[in-house]
Amino acid sequence: MKRATGPSASQTTTLANPPTFWFQHRTCVHPEPNTSPTMSKFYVTTPIYYVNGAPHIGHAYTTILADAMARYHRTRGDDVYFLTGTDEHGLKIQRAAEQQGISPEQMVDENSAKFRELFEKLELTHDRFIRTTEDDHRRTVEEMVQRMTDAGDIYLDKYEGWYSASDEAYYSEDEIEDGVAIASGSPVEWVEEESYFFRLSKYEDRLLQWYESNPDSVAPQARKNEVVSFVESGLKDLSISRTTFSWGIPMPDDPEHVLYVWVDALTNYITAVGAFEDQQRFDRYWPADIHLIGKDILRFHAVYWPAFLMSAELPLPQQVYAHGWWTVEGEKMSKSKGNFIDAFELADEYDLDVLRYFMMREMPLGKDGNFSKARLVERNNAELADNVGNLVNRTLSMTGGFVDGEVPSMPAELTEEADVELRNHCIETVQAVDNAMKDRQPHRALERITALAGETNNYIQTVQPWALKEKPNRQGETLYCALEAIRYVAVLLSPFVPDAAARIMDAMNLGDELRTLDSLQSWGGLEAGTNVRKPDVLFEKLDPPSEQEEDEQQEEQEQTEEADEDEEGANLISFDQFMEVQMRVGEIVEANDVEDADKLLHLFVDVGEDEPRSVVAGIATTFDPDELVGRRVTMVTNLQPAKLFGIESQAMLLAAQREDGTYALAEYPDDVAPGTSVS
Ligand code: MSP
């Protein structure tokens, strides 16, 4: 066995620099009696969900994500408040109830209960499940409107324009096409009625200032750019009341008007922490550290909500984070396509830990993701069962077999290179996970944790405890190191796969203090002499989607391929025809989002001419604008220009689309100059 070449390690190693994030949290101003004054707080919210239908995968996803963040911060020892709930007022709900022939009250009671039941089934750890029909919420909304009125920000006028009940959103003329909102595809209707307005226009400059001086206020960056350009393009005052239906909170002092459902809904975030009623609680938790939302409701959260708060003279949230959307087996989820994933069915079909792991590992926060059964099975089998499960199983079996199931003594000093490396990996992983959570990238956190499990498996392979019977001390040391590394893996995994992590920690007989992130600051916390045992199987291996399903998929694919081949046969082109296509190397010199077009980016590409060309490319689901600048790609330069979303596209970018829908670019190294011909 090789000796460590680095500086010898002390018996208990402490992080030289504990993750900076640990100290960056807002210190509570008004501590409650049983919490320490210096304890950090973390307030996380999900959107509150419309109760016009059954919960689906999108609802499950955001709430699971928020749950993992809440659990992570609890493991850090923070004072956490996690809020979710249901959005129960408005035209959309009133109409859904009418269609079902029941009262709105009955519908919201029944459907809200389904969400509550779902979240119990998913074992989520929210501190409150709020309903906008609750009394304290109504009072808070009334006070909020009063404050906005006192600020001189509410006036009576007449609204004339488009409204989508399905999105509960007003749209301007240029945001609709053929009777539907371009962004969402939802039908719009013409509305003309007396309405109270909120002076949104007054907050244009302050909003821009807020985005600018708070880099993390809206994330990810590409979404923030969208918001900034929307506000820069000029804000109109917002209609905040309706008179043509009644299901909502009446406008204080004018009950003929019902308050716009978004004013009502957004206010839930402050109701839950005691706004206007429990100052101490409010000061403790508000502002929220993160409002987790889907990308479709960004404008409400990143423009309207901060403006309402400014008007009411309340602090603004630390961050509004918009996540992407799930497609299902590569297609947009919709009832008509028959690929709608009901959240209860999801919870019945998969082990909760596996579902959580898959969702958070598969979809980088902010990007769209694809829910594919085959992919879930792959990740479960390779990353959980074969990696984490196998590690725990083999190490605890060896501990049972070789040292009577007792944690051996820790090496007096870490001198073996393999031991030192393993310890360093553990400590580095704690930091890396903290950084990933700070950057709101749980998929990266999970990647690092499973990598640590992999490294620990490699460690065992290298040190071979089974071959050390003649050297019982060394055998004990190797088992100690592997067990301690498993403790790191389990504690770090616990916010994400809580049940499996708890089963590992229970099997290792860990006391509460050894289950905290704090306890991972020092290597060597695991106590010698502790009795440990092998847990039951942690992650069952799953069969890939059934043969029948695969056959069906294959048949479909074959049919498409056959059709393609037929077409190809008929459409063979001559060499001369091919030579007519002019392709050149282009360097992307600027990249921006295209407003209201989630899939498009507006690029400026240098193809060796005096001016870069303007190009619209459908690759926004894979690339952030920032990561494209400077890349040398393949451009078709003699296509007729086309106009997309009002932008002229003067060339075409070539990219390959992977099976999961993401794109890879055909690229060149830096020594291939822009303008070089490609043939
Ligand atoms: N009631 C409003 C939110 C008010 S918050 C003050 C609402 N409700 S919703 O039930 O329609 O949507 C809730 C969330 O589900 C949104 O964040 C939306 O982005 C998300 N999703 C809907 N379909 C989705 C996917 N296919 N994938 C991921 N999330 C998706 O909007």
Side-chain angles (χ1 to χ4, degrees):
M1 177 102 8
K2 276 204 283 174
R3 295 241 141 210
T5 48
S8 77
S10 62
Q11 185 164 3
T12 323
T13 309
T14 305
L15 274 179
N17 299 306
T20 45
F21 184 38
W22 293 14
F23 303 109
Q24 280 174 0
H25 279 258
R26 180 173 164 267
T27 306
C28 300
V29 187
H30 297 287
E32 275 171 8
N34 58 353
T35 45
S36 127
T38 53
M39 197 174 181
S40 291
K41 68 90 186 173
F42 182 71
Y43 178 24
V44 54
T45 69
T46 72
I48 46 171
Y49 305 111
Y50 287 131
V51 284
N52 56 316
H56 58 61
I57 184 174
H59 302 128
Y61 170 67
T62 324
T63 326
I64 285 175
L65 192 61
D67 181 71
M69 289 188 179
R71 287 179 191 254
Y72 181 77
H73 280 268
R74 288 192 199 108
T75 315
R76 279 174 33 135
D78 292 345
D79 177 12
V80 171
Y81 198 82
F82 165 21
L83 175 69
T84 190
T86 44
D87 187 354
E88 306 190 1
H89 289 132
L91 184 58
K92 178 185 176 102
I93 302 294
Q94 177 167 319
R95 285 196 182 153
E98 278 160 12
Q99 269 165 15
Q100 291 176 31
I102 54 176
S103 68
E105 286 88 347
Q106 187 186 344
M107 194 187 75
V108 300
D109 283 350
E110 283 173 11
N111 286 349
S112 175
K114 284 188 198 149
F115 277 89
R116 194 190 285 268
E117 195 191 323
L118 172 73
F119 295 162
E120 267 167 36
K121 195 174 168 84
L122 293 173
E123 295 174 13
L124 303 179
T125 58
H126 40 288
D127 294 286
R128 177 164 173 189
F129 182 100
I130 195 170
R131 299 184 56 187
T132 51
T133 45
E134 284 168 327
D135 261 1
D136 64 340
H137 179 65
R138 182 189 36 77
R139 291 195 303 271
T140 311
V141 170
E142 284 167 359
E143 178 61 23
M144 187 75 185
V145 175
Q146 189 56 54
R147 286 189 168 218
M148 289 152 77
T149 310
D150 293 347
D153 287 343
I154 291 183
Y155 63 92
L156 190 63
D157 204 336
K158 188 173 174 202
Y159 179 75
E160 275 187 12
W162 297 103
Y163 191 75
S164 159
S166 164
D167 301 343
E168 295 285 18
Y170 298 94
Y171 288 109
S172 61
E173 199 68 51
D174 57 353
E175 289 175 315
I176 61 154
E177 201 173 72
D178 299 332
V180 297
I182 298 168
S184 62
S186 305
V188 291
E189 56 201 282
W190 185 255
V191 170
E192 273 186 36
E193 59 188 290
E194 188 187 72
S195 168
Y196 283 95
F197 280 77
F198 169 68
R199 287 188 206 283
L200 186 61
S201 55
K202 173 174 153 188
Y203 291 95
E204 217 172 276
D205 290 344
R206 280 181 64 189
L207 282 167
L208 290 171
Q209 234 173 353
W210 180 56
Y211 307 134
E212 195 181 328
S213 44
N214 295 277
D216 295 332
S217 51
V218 181
Q221 185 62 38
R223 297 278 164 217
K224 185 175 177 189
N225 297 346
E226 272 171 34
V227 168
V228 170
S229 57
F230 172 72
V231 176
E232 275 173 349
S233 71
L235 292 177
K236 288 206 189 90
D237 288 350
L238 180 72
S239 159
I240 57 154
S241 76
R242 302 287 304 272
T243 50
T244 45
F245 68 92
S246 57
W247 181 240
I249 298 180
M251 195 73 192
D253 303 328
D254 194 350
E256 291 294 297
H257 287 250
V258 175
L259 198 60
Y260 177 37
V261 64
W262 274 98
V263 179
D264 167 348
L266 289 160
T267 303
N268 93 90
Y269 299 133
I270 58 170
T271 304
V273 288
F276 315 130
E277 303 203 340
D278 183 345
Q279 193 61 33
Q280 200 177 353
R281 249 165 67 69
F282 187 65
D283 287 344
R284 165 175 285 284
Y285 292 112
W286 190 255
D289 292 74
I290 181 166
H291 289 315
L292 270 173
I293 57 162
K295 61 183 180 181
D296 54 318
I297 52 175
L298 184 60
R299 193 180 292 180
F300 304 100
H301 283 81
V303 182
Y304 300 170
W305 178 227
F308 297 161
L309 288 165
M310 285 173 186
S311 172
E313 294 185 3
L314 294 173
L316 308 189
Q318 305 279 10
Q319 185 168 56
V320 173
Y321 205 111
H323 64 68
W325 270 37
W326 285 101
T327 50
V328 177
E329 306 294 350
E331 292 214 55
K332 192 172 173 197
M333 184 173 72
S334 84
K335 284 204 172 125
S336 56
K337 281 204 189 107
N339 66 350
F340 182 88
I341 304 193
D342 175 284
F344 282 98
E345 284 169 20
L346 201 62
D348 283 338
E349 188 165 353
Y350 300 106
D351 174 88
L352 287 185
D353 282 335
V354 175
L355 182 65
R356 289 170 69 102
Y357 178 81
F358 175 71
M359 289 183 135
M360 287 184 274
R361 179 67 189 83
E362 182 71 7
M363 181 146 108
L365 191 49
K367 303 259 185 224
D368 289 336
N370 180 31
F371 195 95
S372 135
K373 276 188 194 172
R375 190 89 186 105
L376 181 145
V377 169
E378 238 171 75
R379 285 205 183 274
N380 172 72
N381 292 358
E383 295 162 25
L384 294 177
D386 286 347
N387 183 18
V388 179
N390 181 37
L391 169 68
V392 173
N393 185 42
R394 72 201 291 210
T395 311
L396 286 159
S397 295
M398 285 191 285
T399 312
F402 302 157
V403 291
D404 290 336
E406 262 191 23
V407 176
S409 301
M410 176 164 73
E413 202 182 347
L414 290 192
T415 49
E416 299 291 339
E417 183 176 330
D419 300 1
V420 172
E421 267 181 16
L422 183 64
R423 183 213 49 203
N424 290 349
H425 278 147
C426 286
I427 300 225
E428 283 157 18
T429 306
V430 177
Q431 176 80 61
V433 167
D434 205 59
N435 289 343
M437 294 307 279
K438 178 180 159 208
D439 294 343
R440 317 297 189 205
Q441 297 293 298
H443 77 287
R444 251 202 283 137
L446 284 168
E447 193 180 18
R448 292 301 298 250
I449 305 168
T450 49
L452 177 60
E455 281 151 11
T456 314
N457 270 317
N458 291 343
Y459 169 84
I460 291 173
Q461 225 42 52
T462 309
V463 298
Q464 305 196 343
W466 54 87
L468 294 170
K469 277 199 196 101
E470 309 306 319
K471 297 181 183 166
N473 270 354
R474 181 61 196 144
Q475 186 182 53
E477 287 176 4
T478 57
L479 287 176
Y480 183 90
C481 289
L483 287 165
E484 176 67 342
I486 290 177
R487 185 175 76 90
Y488 273 72
V489 170
V491 172
L492 290 171
L493 271 183
S494 61
F496 307 99
V497 293
D499 182 52
R503 286 197 289 133
I504 303 173
M505 295 190 287
D506 289 348
M508 292 176 74
N509 229 335
L510 298 184
D512 287 348
E513 71 290 355
L514 289 184
R515 297 179 183 220
T516 64
L517 282 179
D518 217 23
S519 76
L520 304 186
Q521 283 189 62
S522 311
W523 163 271
L526 192 58
E527 280 166 37
T530 311
N531 282 312
V532 299
R533 63 179 166 78
K534 198 175 82 155
D536 293 339
V537 177
L538 287 171
F539 303 102
E540 298 276 359
K541 282 244 206 167
L542 299 172
D543 292 330
S546 75
E547 274 179 23
Q548 192 194 339
E549 272 177 78
E550 271 187 1
D551 284 352
E552 280 168 13
Q553 270 174 16
Q554 202 174 341
E555 206 173 297
E556 233 170 72
Q557 207 176 330
E558 277 167 9
Q559 279 171 3
T560 332
E561 277 168 11
E562 267 170 35
D564 288 350
E565 271 168 30
D566 288 351
E567 252 174 50
E568 276 166 25
N571 290 330
L572 283 182
I573 58 165
S574 69
F575 181 72
D576 288 346
Q577 280 173 317
F578 172 70
M579 288 311 281
E580 281 176 24
V581 181
Q582 199 180 82
M583 286 186 283
R584 287 203 221 145
V585 175
E587 180 177 326
I588 301 175
V589 291
E590 193 182 324
N592 299 304
D593 291 304
V594 176
E595 203 184 326
D596 292 328
D598 283 345
K599 296 194 171 141
L600 300 183
L601 291 179
H602 183 193
L603 312 175
F604 288 92
V605 186
D606 173 5
V607 290
E609 299 166 341
D610 291 347
E611 294 282 321
R613 292 207 197 178
S614 157
V615 175
V616 180
I619 52 170
T621 48
T622 306
F623 299 102
D624 283 337
D626 297 348
E627 60 183 300
L628 287 171
V629 174
R631 291 168 81 160
R632 298 201 173 176
V633 293
T634 314
M635 304 299 305
V636 177
T637 48
N638 63 338
L639 271 181
Q640 276 193 350
K643 239 186 182 180
L644 286 153
F645 279 72
I647 305 169
E648 183 165 86
S649 188
Q650 303 159 331
M652 181 196 270
L653 170 78
L654 296 190
Q657 189 170 25
R658 298 186 186 91
E659 251 179 32
D660 65 0
T662 59
Y663 291 94
L665 301 175
E667 287 186 78
Y668 304 91
D670 286 353
D671 60 348
V672 185
T676 308
S677 162
V678 177
S679 53

